[in-house]
Amino acid sequence: MPIERATLSTVEIDRMYALYSASYCDAQRDLFNQDLNDKSHCIILRDTDHVIQGFSTLKLYNSTWNNAPLRVIFSGDTIIDPAHWGSQQLAFAWIRFAGELQKQTPEVPLYWFLICKGHRTYRYLRAFAHDYAPRGDAATAPDRQSLMDQLATQRFGDAYDAATGVLSFPKPQGRLTPELAQISDAHRRLPDVAYFLQRNPHYARGDELVCLCELSPTNLRPMARRLFCSE
């Protein structure tokens, strides 16, 4: 379920950090809190005992492009306890919430600004949308690339390399644990995974691939569109 970040209790944040620190090396509570405080909303996955088993943080903000307004959903950390990887409830709740945001101001384009440390996150783009960037089977349009560059530079400054589309930090902002960083041979053979590894070869040291997707009914695949457009 989506909630405003400011409404999270200390107990809930403690549980979220426990999930985060189990998935990432270099975990530091002060940096986690700082990042969380920058976000506006969280999507929470709970089990039948109401215990948090996953979460996705996001920041909704306004921007401009070519002198026209746009809205941006910047995705932060998305963590699911491995025991609940089979559940798609977090993803479903995320796309429903994005649809609610789009309905608030349908005349203003809504973009999903995503940075990917791993292929699992990157593959959500194809699961949700017809068109997104970057992708292996289509070149990124120049105007879309310029918008990506603008958003990434505004948020990350010199950590963003426009030539590669990758964020690299002098001090890692969170590396996947060795277990989660491993990619099976079967997954490596998937075209989207192979492309992700080509674009972000140093993902295991914390590099992140910058991605962008317009969230609109016409750009979403049928299942995602049904959730996005649901009342």
Side-chain angles (χ1 to χ4, degrees), residues 2 11 14 24 35 45 48 68 73 104 118 127 142 163 167-168 192 195 230:
V11 171
D14 288 345
Y24 290 109
D35 183 76
L45 174 67
T48 55
I73 297 176
Q104 293 174 1
L167 294 169
S168 296
D192 283 344
Y195 177 73
S230 62

Side-chain angles (χ1 to χ4, degrees), residues 172-231:
Q173 302 296 297
R175 295 172 298 143
L176 291 168
T177 62
E179 295 78 15
L180 293 180
Q182 290 181 355
I183 302 177
S184 68
D185 290 340
H187 278 153
R188 287 179 180 273
R189 287 192 290 269
L190 296 174
D192 283 344
V193 177
Y195 177 73
F196 174 81
L197 294 174
Q198 172 195 334
R199 292 298 306 268
N200 188 14
H202 302 299
Y203 75 95
R205 71 183 187 193
D207 285 5
E208 307 194 52
L209 180 65
V210 170
C211 305
L212 191 68
C213 172
E214 184 171 5
L215 295 169
S216 66
T218 56
N219 191 38
L220 295 177
R221 296 185 183 276
M223 184 179 69
R225 183 169 61 247
R226 287 194 295 271
L227 296 166
F228 188 79
C229 297
S230 62
E231 296 297 332

Side-chain angles (χ1 to χ4, degrees), residues 83-201:
H84 294 263
W85 276 0
S87 171
Q88 295 301 318
Q89 293 308 306
L90 188 68
F92 292 167
W94 191 97
I95 199 67
R96 285 193 193 97
F97 183 54
E100 293 173 9
L101 296 175
Q102 193 269 343
K103 293 182 185 73
Q104 293 174 1
T105 54
E107 72 283 0
V108 179
L110 178 65
Y111 284 90
W112 182 18
F113 174 31
L114 175 68
I115 57 176
C116 299
K117 284 190 179 80
H119 72 89
R120 295 176 185 87
T121 304
Y122 177 72
R123 288 162 63 198
Y124 273 113
L125 288 160
R126 185 175 296 278
F128 284 165
H130 295 293
D131 184 39
Y132 57 90
R135 51 190 292 188
D137 56 357
T140 302
D143 61 337
R144 184 61 52 86
Q145 185 64 58
S146 294
L147 177 54
M148 291 169 63
D149 292 344
Q150 173 182 295
L151 294 174
T153 300
Q154 285 175 342
R155 186 163 186 86
F156 297 104
D158 292 341
Y160 175 63
D161 183 350
T164 63
V166 170
L167 294 169
S168 296
F169 301 95
K171 182 178 180 181
Q173 302 296 297
R175 295 172 298 143
L176 291 168
T177 62
E179 295 78 15
L180 293 180
Q182 290 181 355
I183 302 177
S184 68
D185 290 340
H187 278 153
R188 287 179 180 273
R189 287 192 290 269
L190 296 174
D192 283 344
V193 177
Y195 177 73
F196 174 81
L197 294 174
Q198 172 195 334
R199 292 298 306 268
N200 188 14

